[in-house]
Amino acid sequence: MTQSDPNLSPTKRALLALTDLQAKLDAIEQAQHEPIALIGIGCRFPGGAETPEAFWSLLQQKTDAITEVPGDRWSIQRYHHPDPDHPGTMVSRCGGFVPHLYDFDAPFFRLSPREAMTLDPQQRLMLELGWEALEHAGISPDSLTGQPVGTFIGLSSIDYWQRVLAQHSDALDAYPTTGNTHSVAAGRLSFLLGITGPSLAIDAACASALAVVHLACQSLRQRECDMALVGAVNRILTPEASIIFSKSRMLSADGRCRTFDASANGFGRAEGGGMVVLKRLRDAESAGDRIHAVILGSAVSHNGRTSGLTVPNGIAQQAVIRQALKASRIKPSEVTYVETHGTGTALGDPIEVGALGAVFGDRPADSNSPLILGAVKTNIGHLEAAAGMAGLIKTVLALQTDHIPANLHLNTPNPHIDWANLPVVAPTDALSWPTHETPRTAGVSAFGFNGTNAHIILRESPSSSSSTVDHGLDSDTQRSKNDATSLSSEQPASAIYLLPLSARTSTALNQLVARYARHLSTHATLNLRDICYTASVGRSHFSHRLAILATSTQQLRQILVDVLAGRSHKTCWRSDGPSPDLDTNASTMEQVARRYVQGEAIDWQTMYQANCETNDSKTGKLSRVVLPTYPFQRQYYGID
């Protein structure tokens, strides 16, 4: 029955028109609140946390990743002094740092040595993280060319720009502007991948990371893009900013964030970055993506005119959290964990906890389910523009494993926080994440010293999509889940699968083989078909190639070990080895392997779909799993 039916009365036509209009309004309302799936992660945090798995291990082990300032930044002896009023010095000797400040794989990213020299290390890091996040998601970067994929980057430091401009004018050329302008940080990643969605760089101080997450979610809901790369980076190169923060009494003397502790006296500076891949939830489920967590809603606001530009505002913090809850369409009682901004300052911590108590205060103070507070800054320091990304990724990993890491440096709770009457707890030991009637749900906060506030609401992955074999997290909890799942999805005993590996150089290919061998030794329950499927469709394929045929994950690992030892194997071929003849009597999979190492482009998706339809109908759907990412061949590129 339609409105155009001539037999309908005017009244029935009007009722049908109203029904149709209501359906359209409901669809618009649903689109405005559509959940966003987080399907890939790349990270580089202090303490050697160069993968999500390494980051989770750092958190589990209660690692304090703060160290003395490396010698490639500035001289501690010259710039440190315990008196904050001493001219030209800072009170702290320490911070959170990541390696490879000036090291970069310029040829991989198609940059000349001269252009790489003046490229901001933040842009270098952002390129690596973007590539790794896509590979972590099992998405081939080359497959995105021409696609409406957005790029949203948060950053604020201009340390390298200052160093470049400090050179003699004769040393300047055409590259410093594109190498150091913040807008190009996003544009360069879009250019590298050939993607056409929105490309934005945002500086919202310490709220930058969560602000770009918010913008990316809005862009996805408005269908400006179908996928989004969202990241934030921070690099500390020069002493000037630390001197200024020290004079402002913002810096912790020992470089550590003592969040919620009575001794909290400032934050410790840190660097690093993170990148996540986002999709609309229904699209991610339809594509069979591995969903790590779901973003329900978010909000961004400003303090407005208060007692001071950089002073935290509790009322504004309450407001932005309530806005995020409203956007998520959930009640405050459904949130059981909040990753706080938690800088470890005498002024900021009590204001933040007080705001959380006001929003989530309907829990009794003696409740068995208090709001659990976390602060990743106690492990790795304050990453400034990238701080919110560290908190977001920590929370995603906690949701995956059902465990909440401990807070460090919390010995004597801050007496200015009303712990006795607020329904909150800040654990000093890891906790099992309690189960409730609703799925595990968390908030993540970030507050910029420019007055910008941001809050994100996350929920654990839906059970239908979190049943894939492996999230790549090496923990007893995750391993038991993997064991149970792998038993039900093991490939047929007679099935043979092809693992294709490739790199831009022979050295990188050997390193990739070693990464896979190590990975399979600690993730032995991974399904062989899923490994080979992910390596086929979820990676770009370069000229230096290796192809292995195997019937089990254990056999595959042994062949990888043989390759590293220089031993040949009858089911392994290399592009730099003897040219393999295309034996027409060989199996179909062997012919594909031989063609692959000779440089042929293989339609992997079609091959796997056909294979599933004919042989694997009983083994379940194809799943993308976490596999090692590309081993960048870094060289030194510095303006000196």
Side-chain angles (χ1 to χ4, degrees):
M1 185 182 299
T2 64
Q3 297 178 51
S4 60
D5 189 334
N7 297 319
L8 290 179
S9 67
T11 301
K12 288 186 176 180
R13 282 199 183 93
L15 287 173
L16 280 175
L18 287 173
T19 301
D20 184 55
L21 180 60
Q22 185 61 53
K24 290 179 179 178
L25 289 173
D26 290 344
I28 293 172
E29 175 71 12
Q30 178 62 31
Q32 293 298 315
H33 299 277
E34 186 167 6
I36 303 298
L38 192 153
I39 63 172
I41 303 171
C43 67
R44 202 81 82 249
F45 297 129
E50 298 197 348
T51 65
E53 188 171 4
F55 185 38
W56 183 246
S57 177
L58 179 150
L59 295 171
Q60 280 188 309
Q61 295 173 20
K62 301 173 68 171
T63 301
D64 179 351
I66 304 305
T67 63
E68 284 200 337
V69 176
D72 61 354
R73 311 311 167 94
W74 59 80
S75 167
I76 298 176
Q77 287 71 27
R78 177 180 176 185
Y79 289 103
H80 170 257
H81 197 283
D83 181 1
D85 292 321
H86 190 274
T89 60
M90 66 192 77
V91 296
S92 178
R93 301 171 59 91
C94 299
F97 298 91
V98 298
H100 308 301
L101 178 61
Y102 298 112
D103 299 335
F104 183 57
D105 192 344
F108 182 88
F109 292 106
R110 304 185 183 94
L111 293 172
S112 70
R114 182 60 201 168
E115 186 172 6
M117 286 172 61
T118 54
L119 184 67
D120 186 344
Q122 294 181 125
Q123 289 198 32
R124 306 181 197 192
L125 179 56
M126 177 270 305
L127 290 171
E128 291 186 2
L129 291 173
W131 195 274
E132 290 175 356
L134 288 170
E135 289 196 333
H136 187 265
I139 296 172
S140 166
D142 285 353
S143 70
L144 301 179
T145 303
Q147 299 300 308
V149 177
T151 304
F152 301 83
I153 304 297
L155 72 171
S156 60
S157 172
I158 57 172
D159 284 13
Y160 201 62
W161 192 213
Q162 293 173 325
R163 285 203 60 193
V164 170
L165 294 180
Q167 296 180 104
H168 191 279
S169 58
D170 292 346
L172 299 177
D173 56 23
Y175 293 123
T177 299
T178 54
N180 293 271
T181 302
H182 284 171
S183 62
V184 181
R188 188 181 297 278
L189 184 55
S190 298
F191 174 79
L192 171 75
L193 300 172
I195 53 181
T196 61
S199 190
L200 303 172
I202 298 296
D203 180 357
C206 312
S208 298
L210 296 193
V212 291
V213 171
H214 171 74
L215 292 175
C217 291
Q218 298 293 74
S219 183
L220 285 164
R221 293 186 178 110
Q222 294 295 329
R223 301 195 174 265
E224 297 172 337
C225 58
D226 292 333
M227 187 167 75
L229 278 166
V230 190
V233 290
N234 185 51
R235 280 293 209 177
I236 301 172
L237 282 73
T238 58
E240 283 76 18
S242 295
I243 293 171
I244 293 169
F245 287 141
S246 183
K247 301 308 176 196
S248 303
R249 303 301 196 272
M250 294 182 182
L251 280 192
S252 164
D254 65 358
R256 287 162 176 81
C257 296
R258 301 182 180 278
T259 310
F260 312 132
D261 193 77
S263 64
N265 61 352
F267 68 87
R269 298 193 70 197
E271 64 178 10
M275 187 84 66
V276 295
V277 184
L278 304 181
K279 271 187 179 181
R280 292 180 290 271
L281 178 59
R282 70 181 74 177
D283 293 345
E285 291 176 329
S286 176
D289 292 316
R290 185 181 58 256
I291 299 170
H292 299 283
V294 175
I295 298 173
L296 297 181
S298 57
V300 174
S301 70
H302 192 271
N303 290 337
R305 184 178 295 169
T306 60
S307 59
L309 172 64
T310 64
V311 176
N313 185 286
I315 300 299
Q317 290 178 17
Q318 292 178 42
V320 77
I321 295 170
R322 294 186 195 280
Q323 289 172 24
L325 289 166
K326 182 179 179 181
S328 304
R329 296 192 288 190
I330 64 171
K331 296 179 290 187
S333 59
E334 295 180 55
V335 175
T336 52
Y337 173 76
V338 170
E339 176 63 29
T340 63
H341 183 58
T343 52
T345 60
L347 177 65
D349 288 358
I351 291 175
E352 180 173 9
V353 176
L356 292 171
V359 174
F360 300 101
D362 55 351
R363 295 171 172 84
D366 59 352
S367 170
N368 292 325
S369 301
L371 182 70
I372 303 169
L373 307 183
V376 73
K377 292 179 178 68
T378 63
N379 295 94
I380 61 175
H382 185 3
L383 272 68
E384 298 164 2
M389 193 57 65
L392 178 75
I393 293 173
K394 171 192 171 181
T395 306
V396 169
L397 300 181
L399 285 166
Q400 285 182 354
T401 59
D402 305 338
H403 281 74
I404 296 172
N407 295 296
L408 306 188
H409 316 308
L410 180 49
N411 301 312
T412 304
N414 190 322
H416 300 294
I417 297 174
D418 191 4
W419 299 102
N421 296 308
L422 291 174
V424 299
V425 61
T428 55
D429 290 303
L431 298 177
S432 176
W433 198 320
T435 56
H436 296 280
E437 294 179 359
T438 56
R440 291 177 178 85
T441 306
V444 184
S445 291
F447 308 129
F449 82 149
N450 65 332
T452 299
N453 308 305
H455 193 81
I456 308 291
I457 303 292
L458 289 167
R459 178 160 282 179
E460 64 181 324
S461 174
S463 58
S464 59
S465 56
S466 63
S467 61
T468 51
V469 174
D470 192 292
H471 291 290
L473 301 180
D474 188 15
S475 71
D476 293 338
T477 302
Q478 190 62 44
R479 189 152 42 241
S480 64
K481 289 183 179 181
N482 296 343
D483 292 342
T485 310
S486 65
L487 291 175
S488 63
S489 61
E490 192 61 43
Q491 65 277 352
S494 60
I496 187 167
Y497 292 99
L498 166 61
L499 176 72
L501 298 180
S502 72
R504 288 198 185 274
T505 68
S506 179
T507 300
L509 180 57
N510 289 335
Q511 291 177 6
L512 189 62
V513 170
R515 287 188 176 189
Y516 268 74
R518 286 194 301 269
H519 188 75
L520 296 186
S521 70
T522 56
H523 299 78
T525 59
L526 277 175
N527 178 283
L528 176 62
R529 185 189 63 176
D530 293 340
I531 295 169
C532 296
Y533 172 69
T534 304
S536 300
V537 304
R539 297 293 187 269
S540 296
H541 295 278
F542 305 108
S543 58
H544 292 265
R545 297 184 173 190
L546 174 76
I548 297 174
L549 296 181
T551 58
S552 70
T553 302
Q554 292 73 24
Q555 183 190 37
L556 175 59
R557 181 183 177 275
Q558 185 56 54
I559 296 174
L560 291 166
V561 172
D562 289 342
V563 170
L564 292 172
R567 293 188 289 267
S568 61
H569 199 283
K570 63 180 181 180
T571 60
C572 176
W573 297 268
R574 288 186 70 125
S575 58
D576 56 0
S579 179
D581 295 328
L582 294 180
D583 185 356
T584 56
N585 295 320
S587 69
T588 301
M589 199 64 76
E590 182 175 335
Q591 290 183 42
V592 173
R594 291 170 180 264
R595 285 160 39 208
Y596 175 73
V597 297
Q598 288 187 337
E600 184 173 328
I602 308 297
D603 186 348
W604 301 108
Q605 198 69 256
T606 299
M607 186 185 82
Y608 271 91
Q609 287 173 350
N611 188 265
C612 283
E613 290 171 1
T614 56
N615 299 322
D616 297 334
S617 59
K618 296 181 180 180
T619 64
K621 65 181 182 179
L622 293 163
S623 298
R624 293 179 174 88
V625 294
V626 172
L627 294 175
T629 55
Y630 190 88
F632 298 114
Q633 303 300 293
R634 302 183 182 97
Q635 300 179 56
Y636 179 84
Y637 294 95
I639 56 175
D640 54 343

